[in-house]
Amino acid sequence: MQDSEIEELADEIRAQLCEVPSPHPEFCIGRVRRGLREAHRVAYIPMTISIGPLHHSRRDLTTMEKYKQHYTKAFLRQSPHMLLEDYLKALQGLEEKARRCYGEIIDLSSKKFKKMMLYDGCFIIELFLRFMREAPGSVDDPILKRIGLLKRIKRDMILFENQLPYFVLQCLFNISSVFNGGPSLIDLALNFFSDIIPGHKKFPQEMGVDIKHLLDLLRHSYAPSWIDEHAFDNEPEVLIHSATDLKIKAAIKFRTAGRAKSLLDIKFHSNGLMEIPRLKLQAETESLFRNFMAFEQCCERSHAYITDYISFMGSLIKAWDDANLLCDIGIIESHLPCDPLAITDLFRTLSKELVVYNCYYSRLCKRVNFCCTRLQLPWPWAETTVCNCCSVFILGILLVFLWLVWLRFVLKISLLVHG
């Protein structure tokens, strides 16, 4: 290539590189990683409503736009002292920060982006308010009166790719009249999602957690009730043996942790007792956990509590008899038909493509594995202890027999030589 062609190509590459967005600390909403998506694509894609810009242009979701406008109108009416311009000015100050929350360049004009934030944000808050004031099935509300539609909307609102930055919701909530003397936005959100959060507990508002979006809010409601920084281990270790093997061969006892404040508060005591909080499996559980993990794998690798939990439970549940054991004890409670094979398959598929960086349960797993080693529990791929003993006994008899035959042969030769 000539020097002029080299310079022209260099200018073209520079222009392309300038358009590539640099990773930003505020990035918290993006596309699900390919490996996770391929395992169960339908669990990550909105089917009824788009929230935020990543699925904003999909034509099959435009039906819900009229509901967004209807709810936005009702929300704005509750604050007659505020003008629409006041809301738009507040959102204008958040636009650049909001755009940085997404893992790609958002191809929406400033006007369309602010309109999207207004409609989506007002719709979410108004839906929370109506859900708290009116029982689902109300004949006067276009969404609450249709239970099936409400469930589909809830399902779409917990998807990682279908999020709006939480500070946008908080801004709209704070400048409206609904904030005065009423429940907080966190309380409204947890009340709205309470029926799809197994093991739900009140969000610890005093912790001052930086909430990224609604999915992150629900994830924080699962966080361990205590954070032991010494529990983390840079060399993740999983359980060697399944729940059934641990019970039968290592005499490890399992019990439901009745007083646990969090689903993730798993304990292993020195007397060989493992306490695990009850997990209630519902229709939405798989999608909820998948999107928790998609968010953690993308943005929260240092404290990926849900990923660590799924990895731990996947190590315990390797076959149907493991799932059956935990169901019998009450550690797993299914609102669906309690099929051990289905539960086993659920944790097997959830564990696919997981990358565990700094597992919260590594120390616990090491203690359990050490207990098994101390009891000389055979490795999973070995035969049972009885079979091993039989094999050694038979081999010993065979060696003795061969030694006697050899000794008789040597004596016979000796007699012939000296005879």
Side-chain angles (χ1 to χ4, degrees), residues 201-243:
K201 69 183 183 64
K202 187 176 177 62
F203 186 80
Q205 301 183 42
E206 69 277 3
M207 292 176 62
V209 176
D210 179 23
I211 303 170
K212 309 297 185 183
H213 37 66
L214 291 177
L215 178 67
D216 189 36
L217 169 61
L218 300 186
R219 191 182 72 93
H220 277 299
S221 73
Y222 276 91
S225 57
W226 76 92
I227 305 298
D228 181 9
E229 295 297 335
H230 298 290
F232 293 98
D233 199 322
N234 291 325
E235 298 180 1
E237 181 165 338
V238 299
L239 295 176
I240 297 173
H241 303 279
S242 67

Side-chain angles (χ1 to χ4, degrees), residues 235-241 308 311-312 314-316 318 356 359 361-362 364-366 368-369:
E235 298 180 1
E237 181 165 338
V238 299
L239 295 176
I240 297 173
H241 303 279
D308 297 343
S311 176
F312 179 86
S315 297
L316 274 183
K318 293 185 173 73
V356 179
C359 186
Y361 300 107
S362 280
L364 188 152
C365 290
K366 286 183 178 179
V368 176
N369 292 337

Side-chain angles (χ1 to χ4, degrees), residues 3-60:
D3 290 345
S4 58
E5 292 176 324
I6 291 291
E7 292 178 1
E8 182 180 351
L9 178 58
D11 291 339
E12 181 181 338
I13 293 175
R14 287 191 192 97
Q16 289 177 341
L17 294 178
C18 287
E19 296 177 359
V20 177
S22 301
H24 199 277
E26 293 172 339
F27 164 51
C28 60
I29 306 169
R31 304 288 181 181
V32 176
R33 190 164 54 82
R34 179 179 295 178
L36 291 175
R37 181 188 296 274
E38 290 178 351
H40 202 302
R41 185 176 183 277
V42 72
Y44 308 105
I45 305 299
M47 300 296 183
T48 304
I49 187 172
S50 70
I51 300 295
L54 298 185
H55 293 274
H56 183 73
S57 59
R58 279 179 50 186
R59 293 184 178 181
D60 59 325

Side-chain angles (χ1 to χ4, degrees), residues 99-355:
R99 285 180 180 269
R100 291 196 298 267
C101 290
Y102 295 93
E104 58 189 67
I105 296 176
I106 303 303
D107 190 21
L108 288 176
S109 66
S110 179
K111 178 180 177 180
K112 289 183 177 180
F113 192 85
K114 285 193 284 287
K115 185 188 292 186
M116 179 271 299
M117 287 195 293
L118 178 75
Y119 282 153
D120 288 0
C122 291
F123 168 79
I124 290 172
I125 299 173
E126 180 65 16
L127 181 60
F128 288 170
L129 290 168
R130 293 190 181 198
F131 185 84
M132 177 166 280
R133 295 168 184 165
E134 305 177 42
S138 172
V139 296
D140 299 325
D141 190 273
I143 292 178
L144 297 185
K145 71 179 180 181
R146 300 167 62 185
I147 303 299
L149 176 60
L150 179 62
K151 286 184 177 180
R152 293 196 299 272
I153 290 174
K154 280 189 181 184
R155 179 261 178 198
D156 284 357
M157 289 173 65
I158 63 173
L159 304 182
F160 175 48
E161 295 184 1
N162 219 31
Q163 297 298 316
L164 198 65
Y166 189 79
F167 57 77
V168 172
L169 296 175
Q170 192 68 65
C171 172
L172 294 171
F173 185 79
N174 288 347
I175 63 178
S176 68
S177 297
V178 300
F179 178 72
N180 298 326
S184 68
L185 181 57
I186 288 178
D187 290 333
L188 288 172
L190 292 180
N191 176 71
F192 181 76
F193 290 110
S194 61
D195 62 326
I196 66 171
I197 308 177
H200 164 66
K201 69 183 183 64
K202 187 176 177 62
F203 186 80
Q205 301 183 42
E206 69 277 3
M207 292 176 62
V209 176
D210 179 23
I211 303 170
K212 309 297 185 183
H213 37 66
L214 291 177
L215 178 67
D216 189 36
L217 169 61
L218 300 186
R219 191 182 72 93
H220 277 299
S221 73
Y222 276 91
S225 57
W226 76 92
I227 305 298
D228 181 9
E229 295 297 335
H230 298 290
F232 293 98
D233 199 322
N234 291 325
E235 298 180 1
E237 181 165 338
V238 299
L239 295 176
I240 297 173
H241 303 279
S242 67
T244 304
D245 283 344
L246 290 175
K247 178 185 178 183
I248 296 176
K249 301 175 183 177
I252 289 178
K253 299 177 290 293
F254 293 90
R255 187 171 70 188
T256 304
R259 297 183 179 181
K261 296 181 179 179
S262 167
L263 178 69
L264 309 187
D265 289 349
I266 301 173
K267 298 179 181 178
F268 181 64
H269 302 281
S270 57
N271 62 355
L273 173 65
M274 186 180 296
E275 290 187 294
I276 304 176
R278 178 177 286 108
L279 168 64
K280 297 179 181 179
L281 294 178
Q282 303 174 97
E284 302 86 357
T285 304
E286 180 176 0
S287 178
L288 184 64
F289 279 168
R290 283 189 177 280
N291 283 276
F292 281 154
M293 293 188 295
F295 170 55
E296 290 181 343
Q297 297 279 290
C298 187
C299 309
E300 289 288 334
R301 295 181 177 181
S302 59
H303 292 89
Y305 298 116
I306 303 297
T307 300
D308 297 343
Y309 174 80
I310 294 299
S311 176
F312 179 86
M313 294 298 289
S315 297
L316 274 183
I317 304 173
K318 293 185 173 73
W320 72 271
D321 53 342
D322 303 314
N324 193 52
L325 169 64
L326 297 184
C327 285
D328 288 344
I329 295 172
I331 291 174
I332 295 180
E333 176 185 326
S334 180
H335 288 194
L336 305 172
C338 195
D339 181 359
L341 288 175
I343 294 173
T344 304
D345 185 63
L346 171 64
F347 280 97
R348 182 183 297 115
T349 56
L350 283 175
S351 300
K352 283 184 178 179
E353 298 295 332
L354 282 188
V355 180

